[in-house]
Amino acid sequence: MRKFAFVVFDADNSILERFLLDKVTAPSGLGWKLKLTTLEGDVVDTITKVAQDKQTVKLTVNFLDRAYERYNILSQWLQKYSRVNEHIALEYDDGVRPRYVEGKVTEFSKAEKDEYSRLSCNVNFTPLTPFFVNVEREIKIILSNKGKSYPLKYPYCYGKRKVENNEIHNPYIAPVPVTVTIHGSVSNPRVSLVAEGAKEEYCSVSFKDVTLRDGQSIIINSARRKIYFDDGSGKLKEYSENTDPSEDTFLFSESGISRLSIEFSPSDTGYLTGSWRQYGL
């Protein structure tokens, strides 16, 4: 059965809040459109760029019982996340798998109840991202006492210093954001991405002269373009300025197959967990 909800993501891209919507009718904007940039020729045009055209998602939310009260509850909840720095997403579950799109509710109309005491309200959701599947907790890299790595799904790398996780498959037409949490204890953590079959990494984030103790962690949230430090208390501190300026600041997995890796020293006892947003048309 088709379901819609508004959700709020935490700093590590796990779902923090979910507001399930009442009966939804007349949805639109759930498919996809492409924008093509071309060079026009006399006979054949040449495509120079392909990008996804984000479409406004429109819904009619029907409140049945305690209609005005339920409208006000949802309206007040949405207002909390209407500010510039707040993040909200629309969840669309078609019965196969849930998909998400981040953005803002830009219209929430209100009319009178009909003869059946039903209140029908039009909702416009302006997207800031493509629709995506939130691939959670797929990445886990640890280092054993013997120097072996144990990824969550596919253990294929064994080394005392460098550990690689399972593969990231990205079929989308553009890079997708990867979010990782580095858990202490780790000294001078450095995380990188390398394409399948390649030797050189194409993206890396490094923290020089940084040592995470047990209980401390660094979150690289590439989707939000934020880096946070947790000293163990659960309070997050902005940490982007502590990255090595000679390297990248965030992790984006290119189209195709990539592998994520982190460098551990033999004395490190920490580990890495991660996820990514799989954008799709």
Side-chain angles (χ1 to χ4, degrees):
M1 182 179 178
R2 185 179 61 192
K3 297 178 181 179
F4 292 88
F6 291 116
V7 300
V8 177
F9 290 102
D10 206 350
D12 62 353
N13 280 341
S14 60
I15 293 177
L16 185 65
E17 291 186 64
R18 176 183 280 107
F19 198 114
L20 187 64
L21 298 181
D22 289 49
K23 181 178 176 61
V24 172
T25 56
S28 65
L30 301 176
W32 54 272
K33 293 172 63 177
L34 293 180
K35 295 186 294 186
L36 303 181
T37 302
T38 62
L39 292 176
E40 186 176 347
D42 292 338
V43 179
V44 178
D45 293 346
T46 301
I47 298 175
T48 58
K49 183 179 179 181
V50 178
Q52 189 168 354
D53 188 6
K54 301 178 185 68
Q55 305 176 76
T56 299
V57 179
K58 298 182 179 181
L59 312 167
T60 299
V61 181
N62 301 280
F63 299 97
L64 304 180
D65 299 321
R66 309 191 326 272
Y68 287 133
E69 178 184 350
R70 295 171 71 88
Y71 170 91
N72 287 330
I73 291 173
L74 176 56
S75 179
Q76 291 172 12
W77 189 86
L78 288 172
Q79 288 179 48
K80 293 191 303 181
Y81 300 104
S82 296
R83 294 185 291 269
V84 172
N85 294 327
E86 300 292 343
H87 300 266
I88 191 173
L90 176 68
E91 178 184 75
Y92 169 49
D93 189 346
D94 59 4
V96 177
R97 62 180 180 181
R99 295 193 302 154
Y100 305 88
V101 56
E102 277 200 337
K104 292 288 187 187
V105 173
T106 51
E107 181 179 339
F108 190 20
S109 67
K110 182 180 181 182
E112 295 295 326
K113 292 190 291 187
D114 61 18
E115 63 269 26
Y116 304 106
S117 296
R118 179 182 58 191
L119 180 62
S120 297
C121 302
N122 295 323
V123 176
N124 285 0
F125 187 84
T126 301
L128 300 175
T129 70
F131 272 97
F132 60 88
V133 175
N134 201 36
V135 187
E136 297 183 81
R137 294 182 293 276
E138 283 292 313
I139 303 168
K140 185 172 184 180
I141 308 172
I142 62 176
L143 196 65
S144 74
N145 292 333
K146 296 180 181 180
K148 293 184 178 181
S149 64
Y150 293 93
L152 181 64
K153 295 179 68 175
Y154 305 115
Y156 56 78
C157 177
Y158 299 87
K160 292 184 178 180
R161 297 187 62 85
K162 190 172 183 179
V163 185
E164 299 184 13
N165 79 315
N166 57 321
E167 297 171 340
I168 297 176
H169 292 250
N170 175 23
Y172 189 60
I173 59 176
V176 297
V178 179
T179 293
V180 300
T181 303
I182 306 168
H183 304 263
S185 62
V186 180
S187 299
N188 303 313
R190 185 175 186 273
V191 185
S192 58
L193 284 162
V194 60
E196 183 184 40
K199 295 182 179 180
E200 298 294 328
E201 60 204 25
Y202 62 79
C203 180
S204 61
V205 179
S206 179
F207 300 88
K208 283 187 176 181
D209 302 321
V210 171
T211 299
L212 295 179
R213 299 191 299 270
D214 289 336
Q216 296 182 335
S217 61
I218 293 174
I219 301 173
I220 304 173
N221 189 325
S222 304
R224 195 174 291 183
R225 294 184 180 273
K226 293 284 187 179
I227 297 178
Y228 305 100
F229 171 72
D230 183 353
D231 63 3
S233 66
K235 296 181 180 179
L236 301 182
K237 172 186 175 183
E238 172 64 38
Y239 210 62
S240 300
E241 63 183 18
N242 293 85
T243 59
D244 184 346
S246 67
E247 300 195 83
D248 301 293
T249 308
F250 303 103
L251 299 165
F252 286 86
S253 180
E254 295 180 350
S255 300
I257 299 175
S258 298
R259 291 176 178 169
L260 184 75
S261 67
I262 181 171
E263 295 178 1
F264 285 130
S265 67
S267 61
D268 290 334
T269 60
Y271 61 99
L272 178 146
T273 57
S275 63
W276 69 93
R277 289 186 172 182
Q278 187 54 68
Y279 293 144
L281 297 179

